[in-house]
Amino acid sequence: MIFAYNKQNVGDTLMVIVKNDENKENKTERKGAVARIQTIDGETVAWNFFNVSDYVTIQGNGQVELRENDIDILNEQLKTAGYEERLVADLSPKFVVGHVKTCVEHPDSDHLHITETEVDGGNTLQIVCGAANIEAGQKVVVAKPGAMMPDGQMIWPGNLRGVDSFGMICSAKELHLPNAPEKKGILVLAADAKTGEKFEVGK
């Protein structure tokens, strides 16, 4: 689930993206200060909460973090508006230090690699990576499913040439880090970087 806020360009509206709706036709239903976005077959993919600063304090721009109490307040707004659905959010950090435990060549590609990368909570994600400098043993930055990149790209589970991938291993340029090199390749962190620790990205 992605929480996005851009008051300057969108107004005082919190956008809650719950599923990837790429290449799907959508319909919108508004009740009071809440709008639900669904696919034509009725699957909810996003919510818009209008005038959100009246009841939730939003800090930041782009992808924003909410507290558990904020989710409770948003669910009260859904209830008041007459919606039966409720938000169940994963509030864990979406950009974390990862440890590349294994890295093997993709069987159907001359440049992709399949990694098993440990992230927060001791969890391991299979991530397909196209960077030439990816190697087992590295500490890297992982954008987990539910992350929004600084350029607005949203990270969802995907499939690359027949192999499932659950996240993205990032370059400094993709993270909008100051003085990021133009040379392609993932950002390799110091060996003593703590696996699972939250990583702060640029905006």
Side-chain angles (χ1 to χ4, degrees):
M1 186 176 295
I2 295 174
F3 302 104
Y5 185 75
N6 188 330
K7 188 171 184 178
Q8 181 176 352
N9 295 321
V10 180
D12 189 19
T13 301
L14 177 69
M15 295 168 283
V16 182
I17 303 108
V18 297
K19 289 187 179 179
N20 185 6
D21 66 340
E22 186 178 359
N23 300 322
K24 293 182 180 178
E25 187 177 351
N26 294 332
K27 59 183 179 181
T28 301
E29 173 191 31
R30 178 166 179 171
K31 296 181 181 180
V34 182
R36 175 170 59 186
I37 298 89
Q38 295 180 301
T39 60
I40 296 302
D41 58 7
E43 180 181 31
T44 299
V45 294
W47 298 92
N48 288 337
F49 292 85
F50 303 103
N51 302 317
V52 69
S53 62
D54 289 348
Y55 46 89
V56 173
T57 300
I58 304 292
Q59 295 182 342
N61 191 60
Q63 184 170 20
V64 294
E65 296 181 1
L66 299 185
R67 301 162 299 177
E68 188 171 347
N69 181 60
D70 296 328
I71 304 301
D72 292 340
I73 294 172
L74 294 178
N75 280 329
E76 280 298 318
Q77 292 295 314
L78 291 176
K79 181 179 178 180
T80 299
Y83 292 106
E84 294 184 358
E85 293 179 64
R86 299 293 180 264
L87 303 177
V88 180
D90 172 13
L91 301 180
S92 65
K94 298 301 180 286
F95 292 90
V96 299
V97 175
H99 174 220
V100 182
K101 299 173 72 174
T102 66
C103 179
V104 299
E105 293 184 359
H106 192 296
D108 191 32
S109 172
D110 60 0
H111 72 283
L112 295 175
H113 292 81
I114 304 169
T115 75
E116 295 291 332
T117 302
E118 183 180 351
V119 291
D120 51 331
N123 296 314
T124 298
L125 301 177
Q126 177 172 281
I127 301 176
V128 179
C129 179
N133 64 328
I134 184 75
E135 294 180 0
Q138 291 172 331
K139 295 292 181 67
V140 296
V141 180
V142 175
K144 301 190 308 182
M148 177 183 284
M149 301 299 293
D151 66 359
Q153 176 189 0
M154 290 178 281
I155 305 300
W156 302 105
N159 186 285
L160 294 173
R161 290 183 174 267
V163 176
D164 291 334
S165 183
F166 300 92
M168 185 170 79
I169 298 175
C170 305
S171 70
K173 187 175 182 180
E174 289 167 331
L175 296 167
H176 285 199
L177 298 183
N179 304 313
E182 290 297 323
K183 184 178 178 181
K184 293 183 178 180
I186 58 163
L187 174 64
V188 180
L189 304 175
D192 60 355
K194 186 177 179 181
T195 302
E197 190 171 78
K198 180 181 177 182
F199 189 89
E200 295 291 347
V201 303
K203 295 293 184 183

